[in-house]
Amino acid sequence: MKLFNKFTAIVLASALVISAGATLTSAASSLSGKITVNGSSALLPMTLQAAKEFKKKNPRVRIAASGSGSITGPQSVKKGIADIGAVDWDASTSVPGFPAFSGQVATPVAVIPFAAIVNKNVSVDNLTSDQLKGIYTGKIKNWKEVGGADAAIVVVTRSFGSGTRVNFELKALGGTRIDEKASGSIAASNSGTMATTVGSKPNSIGYVDLPYIKGDIKALKFEGVEATTANIVNGKYKIWGTGYYMTAGQPTGATKAFIDYVTSKEFQQGSLKKLKFIPLASIKK
Amino acid sequence: MSTMLQRAGNGEGSTVLKQSPYKEKPRSFDRLFRTRLNNKMFRIICFSSIALLCIVLFSIILFIGRTGILAFQSVPAATFFLSTNWTPEDEQFGAGLFIYGTLALTALTLLISTPISVGIAVFLSEIAPDWVKKTVRPILDLLVGIPSVVYGYLGLTVLIPFLQNVFGQPIGEGLLAAALVLTLMTLPTIARVSDDSIVAVPKKYRDAAYALGSTRLQVITKIVLPAANRGIMSAVILGMARAIGETMAVVMVIGNSPIIAEGLFGATSVLTSNIVMQIMNVAFDSTWNYALYMMAFLLLLISLILIILIRVIRPKGEVNV
């Protein structure tokens, strides 16, 4: 009996404390709610940073963000388990291999720069779109065919469904699909593994987003243009993708406020740039 | 837990009885009754824990199996198991190459791992001096605890460049690299369990053999190993179960191409690595998703068969010793 009384007392006391806490915070901000963000792991660092800053301004809004792969984003929105689906391409239109998600609104949030990369032992430092197409469809199998040394090309790719792969196929290969069987490629499970694999494997070629390029890999020039943010901004370098937030219909309430914050000048020119993404406003379309 | 509850009940009970203002307190609430109630409650809690575990386990199996079977709505079972054409983006779901890859990788791993592990076990239990036993056994136990992703990363950054240099292959990824990594991972398991079963062979067998004038090699090969046979078998099966189910290390060194391995080098895929590479990127209600679940169910069945095999072998081994 005594035990039971103690237990009741504890429950009552904690209930009181919690309700008191709730009334205290409710005074701080008018905006409240819970936002769930799911999807692209490439956009996750940006989402987390934005969530941190947004929560400081709106303490009553709770934001849960996770990254498990681009296609998960719009799918979670479709299933109703996420308010925002982060994805590396515009999922309201169809892209090679993926149908459009109808009824969802895509809001562009950031520009993600990509580059074709090679191991540092490769002497080639520039490839055209056609040469990349040849390599990734198995028509070009030796570096000497593109002006390099006489060595077999080791092709590294990302598995089907990766946002990086979708963007690489769209922008660098002009919509051509990568052919694993013909090119004899090996697949890396994420950007980090891609960088490690290409870095540790002589004569290998791959592709990755710019922040990952360091160490034993070098970024290739594409059509003679160096892969830099400056060249993306001035429109010369073509391999980049746009990250989108997908919502079921037009965003409302806290979700809208959060997306507005992410696309605001304050965030785009500040934290977004520091995370090595490119602000949307910098790109001339 | 139960004894603590009981003791607390005892102490409290006696004071309550003395000071209780309710003289007409029902007899059924006496100490004996409460002790029995406590025991009964404890038993109910234990039983329900087990029941909960069983329910969760069976729902997992049921869920995976049910989702997996949906794959056969659009893919004939024969195509799924026998075809080696896995291009899900073109609606081609042939898991045959992954099944082949899994079996080939496991076989190759055991081929390398078993002789080495049993050698280590024999050395540890029969030949090594005490101080070596005392240092090597904890080291083997420690090796089991290293996360597999660490083995995978070492494989990717150390083993694969090494294989490329030694064998002059453009690609180091493939069956051999994965088998070598898995060998390192299954080796402690197989070695320690075999070690234990060799130690369990009664000393009198050895003494008798030595008394007949056998050499140490004869004692080991003719007496000890046959006597510990079943223990070693279950050690190998345990290692095999680990090799089949291992994912993180394999995915980093096997190359992950949906192609049948042409020899020891050249990228290929196994069931586990293909599931982990693709499950994040598939639509929830697609044949592709169901096909991946079917592959998971297949793995589950394989491990289940292995576990049953161990259960069948084990008791007989104990009777033998």
Side-chain angles (χ1 to χ4, degrees):
Chain A
M1 268 328 228
K2 250 187 206 165
L3 206 75
F4 179 73
N5 283 340
K6 256 186 209 166
F7 182 70
T8 327
I10 290 170
V11 169
L12 279 176
S14 46
L16 273 173
V17 168
I18 289 168
S19 53
T23 38
L24 272 179
T25 44
S26 66
S29 155
S30 57
L31 205 62
S32 73
K34 186 169 185 290
I35 308 170
T36 312
V37 189
N38 202 346
S40 161
S41 50
L43 288 170
L44 186 65
M46 186 204 78
T47 307
L48 288 177
Q49 179 63 30
K52 210 161 89 188
E53 293 169 19
F54 187 73
K55 267 188 273 193
K56 239 176 239 162
K57 295 188 166 131
N58 304 281
R60 283 195 66 204
V61 178
R62 286 185 297 142
I63 302 177
S66 64
S68 46
S70 271
I71 190 68
T72 324
Q75 278 189 45
S76 305
V77 172
K78 192 176 163 194
K79 284 236 159 182
I81 51 181
D83 304 297
I84 298 174
V87 55
D88 294 358
W89 66 87
D90 184 351
S92 61
T93 63
S94 63
V95 296
F98 290 100
F101 285 82
S102 58
Q104 292 191 20
V105 175
T107 314
V109 287
V111 167
I112 316 167
F114 298 106
I117 52 170
V118 289
N119 187 277
K120 65 162 193 261
N121 90 317
V122 175
S123 54
V124 174
D125 58 2
N126 175 44
L127 285 178
T128 64
S129 183
D130 285 336
Q131 286 171 328
L132 279 173
K133 246 186 250 174
I135 290 171
Y136 273 95
T137 52
K139 287 183 195 85
I140 299 175
K141 289 196 173 281
N142 196 304
W143 280 114
K144 71 179 175 199
E145 294 172 59
V146 288
D150 181 8
I153 302 177
V154 177
V155 183
V156 189
T157 184
R158 292 282 303 278
S159 62
F160 185 79
S162 141
T164 311
R165 173 169 171 158
V166 167
N167 276 310
F168 188 73
E169 283 175 344
L170 280 178
K171 303 290 168 64
L173 307 185
T176 308
R177 295 250 295 263
I178 290 169
D179 188 338
E180 266 110 346
K181 280 169 196 150
S183 60
S185 65
I186 57 178
S189 54
N190 55 49
S191 299
T193 317
M194 171 67 92
T196 316
T197 307
V198 175
S200 62
K201 201 175 285 301
N203 302 314
S204 59
I205 182 168
Y207 49 88
V208 77
D209 30 330
L210 286 189
Y212 282 96
I213 299 176
K214 50 191 156 227
D216 289 340
I217 53 181
K218 63 177 184 186
L220 288 177
K221 286 181 195 160
F222 180 68
E223 309 271 4
V225 186
E226 219 169 316
T228 60
T229 39
N231 279 338
I232 293 176
V233 170
N234 67 25
K236 284 184 188 150
Y237 185 77
K238 301 289 182 205
I239 317 179
W240 49 269
T242 312
Y244 291 87
Y245 275 177
M246 306 295 297
T247 45
Q250 288 295 337
T252 53
T255 309
K256 182 179 185 335
F258 179 63
I259 296 180
D260 285 346
Y261 179 73
V262 172
T263 49
S264 72
K265 202 172 174 193
E266 176 194 357
F267 182 74
Q268 294 267 324
Q269 298 298 332
S271 304
L272 188 100
K273 253 186 170 171
K274 271 185 219 134
L275 290 168
K276 294 191 180 169
F277 291 98
I278 301 169
L280 289 168
S282 315
I283 303 287
K284 290 176 211 95
K285 295 227 166 157
Chain B
M1 181 70 181
S2 77
T3 50
M4 267 177 65
L5 276 177
Q6 251 165 269
R7 246 178 245 157
N10 291 350
E12 221 176 83
S14 54
T15 52
V16 167
L17 271 180
K18 267 176 207 162
Q19 296 166 355
S20 171
Y22 307 108
K23 293 269 160 60
E24 68 277 16
K25 189 174 164 27
R27 275 290 293 161
S28 59
F29 270 85
D30 65 2
R31 216 170 75 188
L32 185 68
F33 176 78
R34 272 183 287 121
T35 310
R36 276 188 186 154
L37 188 72
N38 279 341
N39 286 347
K40 209 171 205 174
M41 292 280 281
F42 186 65
R43 200 193 289 169
I44 290 172
I45 291 172
C46 290
F47 269 122
S48 45
S49 308
I50 293 174
L52 189 74
L53 177 74
C54 289
I55 291 169
V56 168
L57 193 68
F58 277 103
S59 4
I60 290 174
I61 295 176
L62 197 75
F63 174 73
I64 297 178
R66 232 188 41 191
T67 317
I69 280 170
L70 291 175
F72 297 133
Q73 284 176 342
S74 33
V75 188
T79 315
F80 183 80
F81 290 112
L82 299 176
S83 160
T84 56
N85 182 6
W86 178 266
T87 12
E89 57 268 41
D90 297 329
E91 300 289 317
Q92 292 297 320
F93 302 96
L97 75 110
F98 304 119
I99 298 169
Y100 167 79
T102 299
L103 296 179
L105 176 60
T106 310
L108 188 62
T109 304
L110 290 182
L111 214 65
I112 307 172
S113 180
T114 309
I116 302 175
S117 320
V118 174
I120 291 175
V122 167
F123 174 74
L124 275 183
S125 50
E126 299 290 310
I127 300 163
D130 260 354
W131 66 271
V132 174
K133 290 182 192 175
K134 276 185 191 141
T135 37
V136 174
R137 279 183 183 147
I139 290 174
L140 285 177
D141 291 339
L142 210 67
L143 278 177
V144 181
I146 296 177
S148 55
V149 68
V150 173
Y151 286 114
Y153 190 74
L154 285 178
L156 182 64
T157 52
V158 179
L159 177 69
I160 285 173
F162 175 77
L163 288 177
Q164 283 173 321
N165 289 337
V166 170
F167 294 98
Q169 296 285 335
I171 299 178
E173 272 95 341
L175 282 181
L176 183 64
L180 287 176
V181 170
L182 282 182
T183 297
L184 193 61
M185 294 181 64
T186 54
L187 191 134
T189 313
I190 304 181
R192 285 294 277 127
V193 178
S194 317
D195 181 19
D196 285 343
S197 65
I198 292 175
V199 169
V201 174
K203 194 170 172 290
K204 60 183 178 192
Y205 291 9
R206 298 183 183 84
D207 291 345
Y210 281 127
L212 290 170
S214 310
T215 62
R216 183 147 76 178
L217 186 68
Q218 284 170 328
V219 171
I220 291 170
T221 52
K222 300 266 162 65
I223 306 294
V224 175
L225 284 182
N229 194 4
R230 289 187 181 277
I232 294 173
M233 272 292 284
S234 60
V236 170
I237 292 173
L238 269 178
M240 197 165 147
R242 182 156 199 209
I244 283 183
E246 178 48 43
T247 312
M248 284 325 291
V250 172
V251 82
M252 290 168 94
V253 294
I254 196 132
N256 303 314
S257 282
I259 320 167
I260 287 240
E262 291 161 9
L264 295 176
F265 300 98
T268 180
S269 263
V270 294
L271 288 167
T272 50
S273 68
N274 190 62
I275 293 172
V276 78
M277 286 289 286
Q278 305 199 320
I279 198 80
M280 294 295 201
N281 298 326
V282 300
F284 291 147
D285 294 315
S286 59
T287 312
W288 187 359
N289 190 29
Y290 301 148
L292 290 179
Y293 270 94
M294 194 61 226
M295 286 163 61
F297 191 59
L298 215 66
L299 265 176
L300 204 73
L301 287 184
I302 295 175
S303 344
L304 204 71
I305 291 168
L306 287 181
I307 290 165
I308 291 170
L309 221 62
I310 295 174
R311 306 287 308 181
V312 170
I313 286 171
R314 266 248 172 93
K316 286 184 201 155
E318 272 154 18
V319 171
N320 239 0
V321 168

